[in-house]
Amino acid sequence: MINVVIVEDNNTIRNGLKEFLNNSKEYKCVADFSNCESLLQNFESLQIDVILMDIELPGISGIEGIKQIRALDENPRIIILTIYSESENLFEALQAGASGYLEKKTPPIQMLKVIGEVYASKSYMNTYIARKVLKHFNKKNTAAKNGETLEKSEFSVLKELIEGKSPKAIADHLHIPMEKVHAYFYSVYQKLHLNLELKKIPL
């Protein structure tokens, strides 16, 4: 059973996600909150595998919330809930420590699939994010700062995505399983996390 926490200020969306998760066989919503403050106050008492986090929240923003969660624990997978999958805020959230993202309009069945794949160290990416990632890692001071660079295989997958290929088309062209493509996306997100020096923030 995968334990999921939802942080979403829209009651309809939050309650709908909670009900759908609890009606599935593999997921359980162990807690749901309308803001990051409440999650952080209860964080240590919860057993969390995955956090579904709205990117725009009242009070502590989703991005700041991710930073504070990562200062407490590196283990939970954080999936951003967003209206738009092409925004600077989304990229900042991935840098802060998110492991993937979901558009709020995603059908529930697809949501469950993405949650499971992110939990299994796989993820999704779009052309916009791929461009931002390559630009980020092409900065001269990036490698010198943290020693993290893209592997040749990761670079190849991102380049193919920018050229407009789907994950399946990328897998076929590079002669690798499609699951491996998603695993490369996830590993790139993990490398983005290392660019921030997170410090524990007193609650």
Side-chain angles (χ1 to χ4, degrees):
M1 186 72 68
I2 299 175
N3 292 335
V4 182
V5 168
I6 303 168
V7 186
E8 165 63 62
D9 64 321
N10 183 298
N11 293 334
T12 301
I13 294 175
R14 188 177 68 255
N15 291 332
L17 285 171
K18 178 181 178 179
E19 181 178 0
F20 193 77
L21 287 167
N22 287 336
N23 285 333
S24 68
K25 295 180 179 179
E26 299 178 355
Y27 305 90
K28 178 182 180 181
C29 179
V30 295
D32 63 284
F33 305 102
S34 61
N35 55 69
C36 282
E37 289 88 340
S38 297
L39 168 61
L40 292 167
Q41 289 169 4
N42 293 276
F43 189 83
E44 293 184 357
S45 66
L46 297 169
Q47 291 185 330
I48 308 172
D49 296 314
V50 176
I51 299 172
L52 299 180
M53 174 85 74
D54 185 11
I55 200 169
E56 295 185 5
L57 291 164
I60 296 176
S61 70
I63 294 172
E64 183 59 32
I66 292 169
K67 293 177 183 178
Q68 295 197 30
I69 291 167
R70 284 289 171 247
L72 295 170
D73 193 344
E74 284 289 328
N75 291 318
R77 308 288 199 251
I78 302 175
I79 300 175
I80 286 297
L81 297 174
T82 181
I83 297 175
Y84 304 108
S85 62
E86 297 187 359
S87 72
E88 187 66 30
N89 283 346
L90 175 57
F91 185 70
E92 289 179 13
L94 294 168
Q95 284 183 291
S99 302
Y101 64 91
L102 275 167
E103 290 189 64
K104 293 185 180 183
K105 64 183 180 181
T106 303
I109 294 296
Q110 179 66 16
M111 277 194 172
L112 292 186
K113 179 182 178 182
V114 173
I115 294 169
E117 292 188 341
V118 171
Y119 179 70
S121 299
K122 301 172 187 175
S123 202
Y124 287 76
M125 189 179 292
N126 60 31
T127 300
Y128 171 82
I129 296 297
R131 287 198 186 99
K132 297 285 289 185
V133 167
L134 286 183
K135 182 178 179 181
H136 174 83
F137 280 100
N138 281 336
K139 292 180 180 178
K140 292 182 180 179
N141 64 344
T142 300
K145 180 178 179 181
N146 55 50
E148 286 295 331
T149 57
L150 293 177
E151 300 292 336
K152 183 178 179 180
S153 53
E154 294 167 342
F155 178 84
S156 297
V157 166
L158 293 180
K159 187 172 181 294
E160 298 262 325
L161 184 60
I162 289 172
E163 290 174 355
K165 293 187 177 69
S166 66
K168 185 179 186 307
I170 293 171
D172 291 343
H173 186 248
L174 298 179
H175 306 291
I176 58 175
M178 190 164 64
E179 290 77 10
K180 189 68 174 175
V181 174
H182 292 302
Y184 283 139
F185 293 157
Y186 183 86
S187 69
V188 169
Y189 290 155
Q190 294 301 104
K191 288 181 177 181
L192 281 175
H193 303 173
L194 298 179
N195 293 325
L196 291 181
E197 298 176 0
L198 300 180
K199 299 179 180 179
K200 288 201 172 184
I201 303 171
L203 303 179

